[in-house]
Amino acid sequence: LYICFFGKGTNLNFLLFKANWFRLLQLIPDCCRRKTSVGCCPPTLKQRSDMFARAVLMISCSMLTAREAAGQTAEFQSEAEPALNCPDSYRARKGDKVIMEYIGLLANGTEFDRGQSEFTIGENKVIPGWEKGMTGGCAGERINMVVPPEFGYGDSPSDKVPAGSTIYFITQLQAVIRTTKPVAGGCNEGQKARPNIDVTMDIEGRVITPSADGQKFVDKPSLEVRFGNPKAIRFVRGLEAGLTGACPEEERLLLLGPDLAYGAAGKSDGKVKPGQSVR
């Protein structure tokens, strides 16, 4: 990885000043196709993207650490790569539940955490940097964040994060879940959608495009799905992730990235192309 990316005498300061992270990531396929070094490419595109995103963040880590040593304060930064440019009405906002995967890094490159998190923007149950970084995001975007202490863990240490640390995240916004018609008074736990029951829903699904909704790929007034089925297709797992906890007659807008829709293969009938997000 490092030989492949750095071995050409690239002026990294210039690249970081002049180009965003997505432009740097665009170098990946050409570099690996040229096979400029042994072991340049991890075996999958996702691993390759993860490693290069980490490499770019590490360059940023080093430069920001130098700035901090010089007495300059790190600023919060977030950038989607690639930016999917979904309609404004589909961007994550206060009150939306988001599902994200993340890798957390310290300035020296040490990974201090990774996993999946679900939270509602505005409830202040996670670090402020996460809420700030996810706000305005589109389902399916990879969002890289530089999180200074005031948006992270502040002056208090947290597990593997020293006090006063600027921290860095590589994240994937997997889903944005918005309740559009709540049920007055809610419902009891036994009525809520949950694993190991059959859930019937009225559903219309379309591909998300930058300007308007794209191809309709499902339209059924009564679709029955068994939640909790370990052999369920990816899209059904996305429905389960978005609807678990919903009450009868409740309406939700589910904005699902490819990992919770039809992935890198797309829908078999061609209505959802590889890598597309859906709603």
Side-chain angles (χ1 to χ4, degrees), residues 208-265:
I208 297 175
T209 61
S211 57
D213 288 335
Q215 171 81 37
K216 183 186 292 185
F217 66 91
V218 62
D219 189 358
K220 294 186 178 182
S222 183
L223 174 67
E224 185 175 292
V225 174
R226 180 74 177 183
F227 279 11
N229 179 2
K231 297 182 179 180
I233 65 171
R234 191 189 303 261
F235 177 60
V236 170
R237 296 200 301 270
L239 293 178
E240 183 173 351
L243 292 175
T244 294
C247 294
E249 304 303 321
E250 181 178 323
E251 294 182 6
R252 292 186 178 186
L253 173 65
L254 309 184
L255 305 164
L256 305 177
D259 287 351
L260 291 177
Y262 291 95

Side-chain angles (χ1 to χ4, degrees), residues 73-94:
T73 304
E75 298 178 353
F76 177 87
Q77 298 176 49
S78 68
E79 184 167 3
E81 48 82 11
L84 297 183
N85 299 316
C86 63
D88 288 346
S89 61
Y90 291 171
R91 294 180 180 273
R93 64 194 189 198
K94 186 176 180 180

Side-chain angles (χ1 to χ4, degrees), residues 28-85:
I28 298 169
D30 287 339
C31 170
C32 294
R33 280 197 295 269
R34 289 196 302 270
K35 302 183 185 302
T36 52
S37 69
V38 176
C40 170
C41 296
T44 68
L45 178 61
K46 185 176 187 300
Q47 288 173 318
R48 188 161 69 236
S49 184
D50 284 346
M51 293 178 74
F52 270 80
R54 181 191 292 256
V56 174
L57 274 180
M58 285 307 94
I59 302 165
S60 299
C61 290
S62 299
M63 295 178 68
L64 287 169
T65 301
R67 287 181 57 194
E68 290 174 333
Q72 300 177 30
T73 304
E75 298 178 353
F76 177 87
Q77 298 176 49
S78 68
E79 184 167 3
E81 48 82 11
L84 297 183
N85 299 316

Side-chain angles (χ1 to χ4, degrees), residues 165-203:
S165 295
T166 295
I167 49 182
Y168 307 82
F169 290 98
I170 302 167
T171 74
Q172 185 88 29
L173 180 51
Q174 302 285 18
V176 179
I177 302 159
R178 183 177 301 158
T179 300
T180 56
K181 183 184 175 182
V183 174
C187 62
N188 64 52
E189 291 298 317
Q191 294 177 297
K192 292 181 178 180
R194 62 192 185 278
N196 302 316
I197 65 169
D198 294 323
V199 177
T200 303
M201 66 194 79
D202 179 356
I203 181 172

